[in-house]
Amino acid sequence: MVRIPEENGPRVRARELGLPLGRFKPGKYNAITDVEGVLVGHTTIIEGSGPLRPGFGPVRTGVTAILPNLGNIFMERMSGGGFVLNGAGEVSGMTQLMEWGLIETPILLTNTMAVGAVSDGVANYLVQRYPGIGDEHDVIIPVVGECDDSWLNDISGRHVRQEHVVAAIDAAKSGPVQEGNVGGGTGMVTCDFKAGIGTSSRKLPEVLGGYTLGVLVMSNFGKMHNLRVGGLPVGEVLVEKFKNTPHRGKSYGSIIAVVATDAPLLSHQINRLCKRVGLGIGRVGSYAAHGSGEIVVGFSTANIIPRRTQKMVYKMKILLDQRLDPLYEAVMEATEEAILNAMCMAEPMTGVNDNYSPALPLDEVRRFVDACRPIFASVKKRPHQTSVPASKERPSDEDREGEVTLGSALPTQVRGAEGIPFPTRPAPNEPPLDGPP
């Protein structure tokens, strides 16, 4: 095996490489925690080296916990949804999530063989905190996503324990999020380079609602030749350099993504938002291979659905479907950047049987980006710019999305789901709006 000498410089996030990563600005931390109330914690398990001894190691795995609503998600639930692009993977609890449209447990990420242990750990954690579960309250099905880290980890040894789950939940906090070889992403690989946990966020301009959206991924998919970095075919360039470095061969891998937003969305809208995560994954080079699992879970923090109430109804804020387009674009951008952050921040790793996963060579990426920088500079465009020429007279049916605030948008200023201005004509047997009574 030939190992490429590693770079000596520090690992940095994708944005620091000067990549073209979309037109919307990130939030303060450029992380899912930019959505108020969202917390993230990790437990990382790295033990042993050398030949694989099932049950003994080497161990390269962990647990990542995403807590909506400052961790009080059991009593104060939120609207949720999801999407399965390719189903060669698992997120336990997703059947109920899609049926009810509710998130009511923390969301945990780990390796494939640890899903049961992690689910059990979450259940124990919640039962201890809320003793009425299964009696006073309904039972729970924790939301736990997985990817296969067996290239680097003794996955069949099932080294994740309940204490690791509790530690990840207890460590969850707001602010910057650790990325790369941490938590559930410890043993994960993307496009034959070391990856793991990555996150990114977008803050929409006020004219588009001012909402914040964040994505966190556990990235473990793809082959080197497919890798695109900022739209550039970096993987095709690096294949020759790494041609003598052994790669994971039997598995294409998977990716689990978690989307959070403070936009007031219903479950069906969250489902639609989660679909667009697949477009962001595709930007990095995935084609959702037969053996891959691209599964997305999403939630909105804008509305609380209480577990206890004396009322028979509750009120919700709901964003117009016609106002979703900026969120679709933002989630695609944030997903792409989250995956690249996982790769850019990950250090090289040696795991079971001395299997080796190199880090993405950032100097090579910088050189590629610098060579293309004149092209990037010529196409930069501000988010609120429009391609419509300035004119005092606008067609009455023109789609003015992005040019009016949500508060001032009248029904006639937006289009219906079918793209037809509403209203178009008076209802049958009714006089025209401008006609005689």
Side-chain angles (χ1 to χ4, degrees), residues 7 240 247 294 333 364 379:
E7 299 168 354
E240 180 65 23
H247 306 307
E294 289 79 20
E333 292 181 5
E364 297 278 352
V379 296

Side-chain angles (χ1 to χ4, degrees), residues 97-115:
L97 167 62
M98 299 300 290
E99 181 69 23
W100 285 0
L102 292 176
I103 287 284
E104 59 178 10
T105 76
I107 301 166
L108 280 294
L109 306 178
T110 189
N111 76 65
T112 307
M113 300 291 284
V115 171

Side-chain angles (χ1 to χ4, degrees), residues 188-231:
M188 303 302 172
V189 177
T190 297
C191 295
D192 298 317
F193 293 108
K194 190 65 189 71
I197 298 296
T199 186
S200 183
S201 69
R202 292 295 184 272
K203 173 74 173 177
L204 295 184
E206 288 301 320
V207 73
L208 299 180
Y211 301 115
T212 300
L213 176 148
V215 176
L216 184 143
V217 299
M218 183 167 70
S219 184
N220 189 52
F221 70 89
K223 300 298 182 183
M224 188 181 299
H225 63 271
N226 293 128
L227 175 62
R228 297 292 183 269
V229 178

Side-chain angles (χ1 to χ4, degrees), residues 155-166:
I155 193 169
S156 65
R158 291 168 291 171
H159 297 274
V160 176
R161 306 282 187 261
Q162 290 187 28
E163 56 264 30
H164 299 129
V165 178
V166 174

